[in-house]
Amino acid sequence: MPLPYRVVRRRAETADTASFVIEPLDEALPPFRPGQFAMLYAFGVGDIPVSVSGILPHRHRLMHTVRAVGAVSTALYELGPGDTVGARGPFGTVWDTSRAAGGDVLVIAGGIGLAPLRPLVYEVFRAPHRFRRVQVLIGARTPGDLVYRDETAVWAAAGPGGTALTVDRPDAGWAGEVGLVTGLLGHARFDPPGTTAYVCGPEVMIRATARELVHRGLRPERVLVSLERTMRCGTGHCGHCQLGPLLLCRDGAVLGYDRAAPLLATREL
């Protein structure tokens, strides 16, 4: 059963995307880790899986970022301070940083795919001594689709590798890179055998980015991707999120590309 959480803060990210922070009204869910997701319930409408985009120890608060694309996500997008939402979780696998220790880290996001990666960015930035270089590469369709604009400006100066942004369609005020996020890899500095990459975004972007990383020398098992399928129960019982032999709510959504590649290569799987 979902536990009741209250919205304590809301921030508009884009014209159709908002982030909100929730805290438990009474009992709190077990601790979340970067890469995991919650099933968020908009009362009277339904529930959907939403990756945790912020883990705040104070009062067991969680941050989620939602784009309004359907009935439930629109209801969540419209929540404001004081409103109540139901939450279940944590579900899913995590962004494992243990394998990245001592090497370079690439965080590569497409659009709102930056939301599940945001807790990972803060985790690696909090322990710079553990990694050699940390680089965050972000792509979006337009400048107006970029999320966390104030934070990414800080990230650009925070990490030893920096942050780079690109858009597919620039507007008159855009002075940055133009093109696909894979184009940023040509400017990134990393040692492929010792690099771990974390990739999230639209599936076509994930496939193209993962292939390019492997082509540049990364081992497939060190390219971690987060896949998306329709989820209903979050516990591996309903079967809606099946991807070949996997149930992504239970076995994912974070997978090594060595496991994901053959599944993504099968049409309509």
Side-chain angles (χ1 to χ4, degrees):
M1 296 295 292
L3 297 180
Y5 274 65
R6 176 175 48 237
V7 177
V8 296
R9 187 165 66 249
R10 181 188 187 274
R11 179 180 70 190
E13 300 288 353
T14 72
D16 62 358
T17 304
S19 297
F20 53 89
V21 175
I22 58 175
E23 67 178 19
L25 289 176
D26 187 12
E27 181 184 356
L29 295 172
F32 282 70
R33 293 181 61 194
Q36 293 186 304
F37 67 93
M39 295 296 295
L40 296 184
Y41 180 60
F43 292 108
V45 185
D47 64 351
I48 57 172
V50 182
S51 295
V52 61
S53 56
I55 303 168
L56 296 76
H58 177 63
R59 299 180 64 85
H60 305 284
R61 290 178 173 178
L62 300 170
M63 174 177 158
H64 296 278
T65 301
V66 176
R67 173 175 289 161
V69 294
V72 181
S73 59
T74 298
L76 294 172
Y77 166 80
E78 294 174 346
L79 290 172
D83 290 336
T84 304
V85 62
R88 295 188 286 126
F91 299 117
T93 49
V94 304
W95 298 116
D96 180 14
T97 59
S98 62
R99 69 184 69 188
D104 294 329
V105 171
L106 290 175
V107 179
I108 308 173
I112 200 173
L114 183 57
L117 290 165
R118 181 180 177 272
L120 169 71
V121 172
Y122 282 106
E123 179 176 301
V124 297
F125 277 178
R126 281 194 296 267
H129 58 281
R130 291 185 59 207
F131 313 102
R132 189 175 172 209
R133 284 181 294 247
V134 178
Q135 296 164 94
V136 183
L137 311 180
I138 302 167
R141 288 175 298 174
T142 70
D145 292 310
L146 289 165
V147 295
Y148 316 132
R149 291 290 295 270
D150 54 342
E151 296 178 61
T152 55
V154 176
W155 298 351
T163 299
L165 293 83
T166 186
V167 298
D168 297 342
R169 301 193 303 272
D171 57 24
W174 179 253
E177 296 282 339
V178 177
L180 301 177
V181 70
T182 49
L184 296 177
L185 290 173
H187 306 296
R189 297 175 57 217
F190 56 94
D191 177 38
T195 297
T196 304
Y198 304 87
V199 185
C200 187
E203 194 164 293
V204 64
M205 168 264 176
I206 289 176
R207 289 199 303 267
T209 302
R211 287 174 185 153
E212 181 65 19
L213 290 167
V214 172
H215 175 72
R216 289 175 178 265
L218 270 72
R219 297 200 301 272
E221 65 270 19
R222 298 192 68 163
V223 178
L224 301 182
V225 302
S226 182
L227 303 182
E228 183 177 349
R229 289 295 184 275
T230 300
M231 296 182 187
R232 289 287 183 263
C233 68
T235 58
H237 288 84
C238 73
H240 280 83
C241 66
Q242 183 176 5
L243 180 64
L246 306 179
L247 294 172
L248 287 186
C249 72
R250 182 193 66 196
D251 305 315
V254 176
L255 299 170
Y257 192 60
D258 56 323
R259 298 178 69 195
L263 303 177
L264 295 178
T266 303
R267 290 177 60 86
E268 300 183 5
L269 182 61

